[in-house]
Amino acid sequence: NAGVTQTPKFQVLKTGQSMTLQCAQDMNHNSMYWYRQDPGMGLRLIYYSASEGTTDKGEVPNGYNVSRLNKREFSLRLESAAPSQTSVYFCASIQGGVANYGYTFGSGTRLTVV
Amino acid sequence: DAKTTQPPSMDCAEGRAANLPCNHSTISGNEYVYWYRQIHSQGPQYIIHGLKNNETNEMASLIITEDRKSSTLILPHATLRDTAVYYCISSPELTFGTGTRLQVTL
């Protein structure tokens, strides 16, 4: 099925460990995004990539890095995980342009940092 | 980005229409209004979007006021499966607030 695929679905890290969250879309979308969602909260933008080869900071970028590997893939890296980064991470993509049809979201990665 | 304001929660009886309001008084002329919903902890799902005219699709209807400062998402016959958090956002689509938690009851 076409869509956004995130891996892994669940992860537990110890404080200070590093990991990379993977995201891939097969819809030929130009723009990709990483959000985090804390319990009972809305989504907050971490980083986004408007097109292949570009990345920009969102609302909460500290502690994260991203790589737009190619048009399909956009990864999020935690270099030194902290308990405050315990959250659900969502990747999304969109074709771009004014009259588009909205984001397509992945099913999320549930990360716990202990 | 234009800021949107939504009530934190609403209830609706199954089979009745659910009308979810959203204020976006600072929206500019070329910004679209988008609605998404999030069921449990799944990824948000696109519902509908519009610029000036009212829109309808198989999921919902979107009514936008003439001055474009507010809109209403209408689920014409709400079911228990429509229980979710509904987000109203304006393009560019970068900011999600806390949305409206819709509870559909028997």
Side-chain angles (χ1 to χ4, degrees):
Chain A
N1 292 336
V4 176
T5 302
Q6 292 184 236
T7 56
K9 293 189 183 304
F10 301 93
Q11 183 71 49
V12 178
L13 290 179
K14 293 182 179 179
T15 297
Q17 286 186 316
S18 62
M19 79 161 294
T20 299
L21 282 65
Q22 306 287 352
C23 176
Q25 53 90 10
D26 58 4
M27 297 168 287
N28 202 37
H29 284 172
N30 291 321
S31 303
M32 298 184 73
Y33 302 78
W34 277 105
Y35 286 89
R36 63 176 287 175
Q37 185 174 35
D38 299 331
M41 304 292 288
L43 284 78
R44 292 185 293 171
L45 182 66
I46 305 171
Y47 270 94
Y48 66 101
S49 171
S51 61
E52 186 178 356
T54 68
T55 61
D56 287 286
K57 296 179 180 179
E59 180 185 359
V60 288
N62 291 344
Y64 305 95
N65 287 301
V66 291
S67 295
R68 183 74 182 268
L69 304 171
N70 47 56
K71 193 171 186 179
R72 289 187 65 248
E73 299 171 288
F74 188 39
S75 63
L76 178 71
R77 183 162 178 82
L78 287 71
E79 291 292 351
S80 179
S84 61
Q85 293 178 304
T86 293
S87 190
V88 181
Y89 292 83
F90 289 103
C91 177
S93 71
I94 193 169
Q95 178 59 32
V98 175
N100 59 59
Y101 291 93
Y103 288 121
T104 299
F105 280 85
S107 58
T109 295
R110 284 148 184 80
L111 175 67
T112 301
V113 183
V114 297
Chain B
D1 297 349
K3 179 177 173 56
T4 61
T5 305
Q6 298 177 255
S9 63
M10 293 182 64
D11 293 329
C12 179
E14 189 176 34
R16 305 295 295 269
N19 298 290
L20 289 86
C22 178
N23 286 321
H24 33 79
S25 58
T26 61
I27 197 169
S28 64
N30 63 349
E31 289 183 327
Y32 281 71
V33 177
Y34 288 81
W35 283 84
Y36 293 82
R37 72 180 182 184
Q38 187 175 27
I39 298 174
H40 295 301
S41 298
Q42 300 175 20
Q45 175 191 23
Y46 165 82
I47 301 173
I48 199 167
H49 76 289
L51 182 64
K52 292 189 290 187
N53 300 321
N54 298 337
E55 302 288 345
T56 295
N57 63 20
E58 65 278 6
M59 291 182 69
S61 295
L62 175 61
I63 307 298
I64 303 173
T65 58
E66 191 170 345
D67 62 9
R68 300 208 331 116
K69 292 185 177 182
S70 66
S71 61
T72 301
L73 178 74
I74 301 173
L75 308 178
H77 304 288
T79 70
L80 297 177
R81 287 178 294 180
D82 292 321
T83 293
V85 178
Y86 289 77
Y87 297 98
C88 165
I89 65 175
S90 62
S91 61
E93 302 169 85
L94 301 182
T95 304
F96 285 72
T98 53
T100 296
R101 182 171 298 278
L102 176 68
Q103 180 69 50
V104 180
T105 57
L106 291 172

